[in-house]
Amino acid sequence: EDTEGGCDIYKATLKDEEIIEVSRLEGNLNSHEWDSQPSISCDGTKMFFSSTRKDGLGGGDIYLSSLMPNGDWGIASNLGPNLNTKGDEEAPFIANDGKTLYFASNSHVGMGGLDLFKTTWAQDGTWSVPENLGYPINDHRDNFGLVVSPDGATGYLTGGTLSIPSEYMGRKNPQIYFFKMPPSIMPEKSSWLEIWA
């Protein structure tokens, strides 16, 4: 009931593998428009998400919000025209290196429908020109929702419009695929350090 737009971003609190609390994220992240598909950086301080808010460049754009000292999420900023277009950009995923961002777009040059792209954050705060991940990761169907394993070696995506069994009256459903990430599109390697107090 407390959703302001067509969709808002929420958090759930887990205890002993059970959800004990669900709440809408506080701060300036959510808007009166559709806000969804969040991806949080490995250090927990940056959230990338897709939104149709009116200050955007197209249908859906990718935004970034940073965690403030008080625990709220700060005002979201549009990632700009190098990444966002007049079409739809959605389903962002920030890799564990904190600077490789994967997303789906139907407006950057692609193979048809939604294609998957990669962009890299530079130290000057800019993003590289989005790179199409190419065939066979992309094809003429919609391909989106890429998630990369922590070691960067495996990718998982949603794609295609394959027919599902006839009892569903011929409706189409996307399928989930996994694949070995080609070295050319892998994020930088990350190291894990666990400290015992």
Side-chain angles (χ1 to χ4, degrees), residues 3-197:
T3 302
E4 289 189 12
C7 187
D8 279 346
I9 299 174
Y10 286 71
K11 69 176 179 180
T13 302
L14 298 175
K15 183 177 181 181
D16 298 326
E17 299 184 3
E18 290 188 12
I19 297 174
I20 60 172
E21 182 183 2
V22 176
S23 60
R24 183 175 179 271
L25 287 181
E26 297 297 329
N28 300 290
L29 184 145
N30 287 306
S31 70
H32 295 291
E33 304 300 326
W34 182 85
D35 302 296
S36 188
Q37 303 170 333
S39 177
I40 299 178
S41 61
C42 190
D43 64 3
T45 65
K46 307 286 185 190
M47 182 184 296
F48 298 84
F49 65 99
S50 184
S51 178
T52 59
R53 55 190 67 191
K54 293 184 174 21
D55 66 348
L57 303 175
D61 280 6
I62 297 175
Y63 287 78
L64 168 63
S65 177
S66 297
L67 190 66
M68 299 188 297
N70 68 354
D72 290 346
W73 289 94
I75 296 173
S77 59
N78 189 295
L79 291 192
N82 195 39
L83 193 149
N84 291 311
T85 67
K86 293 182 179 179
D88 292 309
E89 280 69 46
E90 55 186 64
F93 175 79
I94 186 68
N96 278 3
D97 64 4
K99 62 181 183 179
T100 304
L101 182 71
Y102 302 93
F103 67 97
S105 173
N106 62 9
S107 196
H108 285 285
V109 177
M111 300 181 181
L114 288 165
D115 272 17
L116 289 162
F117 293 83
K118 167 192 169 185
T119 182
T120 305
W121 178 79
Q123 288 187 345
D124 64 0
T126 62
W127 293 90
S128 66
V129 175
E131 169 191 354
N132 189 298
L133 299 191
Y135 182 85
I137 297 170
N138 289 314
D139 59 18
H140 64 283
R141 300 167 295 185
D142 285 334
N143 301 283
F144 55 95
L146 176 65
V147 173
V148 179
S149 61
D151 64 3
T154 306
Y156 302 84
L157 66 84
T158 304
T161 53
L162 303 178
S163 296
I164 57 177
S166 59
E167 59 263 29
Y168 295 99
M169 299 179 294
R171 288 181 295 175
K172 308 290 186 179
N173 248 15
Q175 308 293 307
I176 297 174
Y177 299 90
F178 73 94
F179 60 96
K180 183 177 180 180
M181 291 282 287
S184 61
I185 65 169
M186 289 176 66
E188 289 188 9
K189 290 186 177 181
S190 302
S191 298
W192 295 84
L193 178 63
E194 187 172 1
I195 299 174
W196 292 84

